[in-house]
Amino acid sequence: KDEWMDMMREHDVPEWYIDSCLKIKYMFPKAHAAAYVTNAFRIAWYKVHRPTEYYIAYYTVRADDFDYELMTKGYDFTNDKIKEYEKMGKAISTREKNIQTILEICREMYARGIEFAPVDLYKSHASKFLKGEDGRIIPPLSSIANLGAVAAKQIMEAREEGGEFFSIEDLRQRAHVGKSITDLLQNAGCLKGLDESSQTTLFNMME
């Protein structure tokens, strides 16, 4: 360090600059800065040329507070909700601010003509957003409020291991989830066509 200081003084480097160098603990490296810029260009390219994939990646990686019931109702509802949060001003909580940010991304997505598909018992991943065959974005099971990542994973594993569920009772037994979880799925419209008990399903098949 002393050798560098002597060298700088020999080349008439101002004392204030030398003093600053002694205080600065970390200098942002050029390589790191270049990596950020390169990554920004990559993200921008996907946002322009592959928008659906961009939004899928964003929701999966960044949108921990994504709420299926709140964020899949189209442009007008989303825009109105954003205005509600904006009116809160400084009273807005950290979580509400995070939700507002996700809503703003959803509004942008809707404005570009991209939509969400309904959460699907068989097509939805436990935690990842997916691109459906019709181009719409399929939200994960865990995007249903209060369903939880563990229950979502158990449901996905159960369907992968045993195929379609015969009834809501069959779903509970195979996925090891309780009534509260199937009620959430029911309210989200995921259990249409499923009878409550396997016994009822068996009688229907015999008829």
Side-chain angles (χ1 to χ4, degrees), residues 114-126:
I114 302 170
E115 299 179 348
F116 288 109
V119 172
D120 191 285
L121 183 62
Y122 299 106
K123 295 179 181 179
S124 291
H125 190 274

Side-chain angles (χ1 to χ4, degrees), residues 96-154:
E96 288 168 334
K97 186 66 178 175
N98 292 338
I99 291 174
Q100 181 184 340
T101 299
I102 301 170
L103 284 169
E104 289 169 351
I105 296 294
C106 292
R107 179 176 62 180
E108 175 188 283
M109 183 195 79
Y110 286 127
R112 300 181 71 182
I114 302 170
E115 299 179 348
F116 288 109
V119 172
D120 191 285
L121 183 62
Y122 299 106
K123 295 179 181 179
S124 291
H125 190 274
S127 58
K128 297 178 182 178
F129 288 76
L130 303 173
K131 185 176 181 178
E133 294 179 0
D134 59 0
R136 292 187 297 172
I137 296 175
I138 305 174
L141 295 169
S142 59
S143 67
I144 299 175
N146 301 317
L147 193 143
V150 174
K153 184 179 180 182
Q154 290 172 183

Side-chain angles (χ1 to χ4, degrees), residues 44-204:
W45 186 91
Y46 272 95
K47 192 168 187 179
V48 173
H49 299 287
R50 302 292 293 272
T52 302
E53 287 75 8
Y54 166 81
Y55 293 114
I56 286 173
Y58 178 87
Y59 296 135
T60 298
V61 177
R62 301 292 300 276
D64 292 336
D65 289 316
F66 188 95
D67 187 326
Y68 174 71
E69 285 295 321
L70 184 64
M71 299 173 181
T72 60
K73 295 184 177 180
Y75 181 91
D76 292 336
F77 179 88
T78 302
N79 193 47
D80 291 340
K81 203 66 184 178
I82 290 172
K83 290 178 180 178
E84 288 181 23
Y85 282 118
E86 289 174 343
K87 290 179 181 179
M88 296 175 68
K90 294 182 179 180
I92 192 170
S93 67
T94 300
R95 183 173 184 276
E96 288 168 334
K97 186 66 178 175
N98 292 338
I99 291 174
Q100 181 184 340
T101 299
I102 301 170
L103 284 169
E104 289 169 351
I105 296 294
C106 292
R107 179 176 62 180
E108 175 188 283
M109 183 195 79
Y110 286 127
R112 300 181 71 182
I114 302 170
E115 299 179 348
F116 288 109
V119 172
D120 191 285
L121 183 62
Y122 299 106
K123 295 179 181 179
S124 291
H125 190 274
S127 58
K128 297 178 182 178
F129 288 76
L130 303 173
K131 185 176 181 178
E133 294 179 0
D134 59 0
R136 292 187 297 172
I137 296 175
I138 305 174
L141 295 169
S142 59
S143 67
I144 299 175
N146 301 317
L147 193 143
V150 174
K153 184 179 180 182
Q154 290 172 183
I155 293 168
M156 186 176 74
E157 290 175 346
R159 80 184 184 209
E160 289 178 349
E161 292 173 3
E164 292 188 9
F165 300 105
F166 297 112
S167 65
I168 297 175
E169 180 185 33
D170 180 45
L171 168 59
R172 290 187 192 127
Q173 291 176 350
R174 285 166 50 191
H176 306 290
V177 296
K179 186 176 183 301
S180 61
I181 296 298
T182 54
D183 284 347
L184 291 172
L185 291 168
Q186 187 87 276
N187 294 335
C190 296
L191 304 184
K192 293 178 181 178
L194 280 182
D195 291 319
E196 178 62 36
S197 71
S198 298
Q199 187 175 24
T200 303
T201 305
L202 180 61
F203 286 145
N204 290 337

